[in-house]
């Protein structure tokens, strides 16, 4: 089993955030609205961007080592 590195954490962050956004949008389409739904969507979008930035940073850093 491999160790956890920053790229793996970034990919898990992106994947889970996309799942949360999908569930939130599905709930909104079904008519289940809460007052915190827009904040949840915004937070998940920010986490997707942060996770993608981490993955790109690690990928760029590993490319310079070789």
């Amino acid at each position: 089993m491999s160790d956890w590195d920053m790229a793996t954490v970034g990919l898990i962050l992106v994947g889970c955030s996309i799942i949360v956004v999908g569930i939130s949008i599905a709930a909104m389409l079904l008519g289940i609205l809460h007052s915190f739904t827009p904040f949840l969507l915004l937070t998940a979008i920010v986490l997707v961007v942060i996770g993608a930035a981490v993955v790109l940073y690690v990928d760029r850093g590993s490319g310079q080592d070789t």
Side-chain angles (χ1 to χ4, degrees):
M1 180 172 222
S2 65
D3 293 333
W4 289 83
D5 59 346
M6 289 301 291
T8 306
V9 172
L11 289 173
I12 290 174
L13 182 66
V14 169
C16 291
S17 298
I18 290 173
I19 291 170
V20 167
V21 168
I23 291 171
S24 298
I25 291 173
M28 287 173 53
L29 289 174
L30 290 173
I32 303 170
L33 296 175
H34 292 285
S35 61
F36 62 89
T37 302
F39 302 111
L40 181 64
L41 288 173
L42 183 64
T43 303
I45 290 169
V46 169
L47 289 175
V48 167
V49 171
I50 290 172
V54 167
V55 170
L56 290 174
Y57 177 75
V58 169
D59 184 49
R60 186 174 181 187
S62 66
Q64 292 177 356
D65 290 342
T66 58

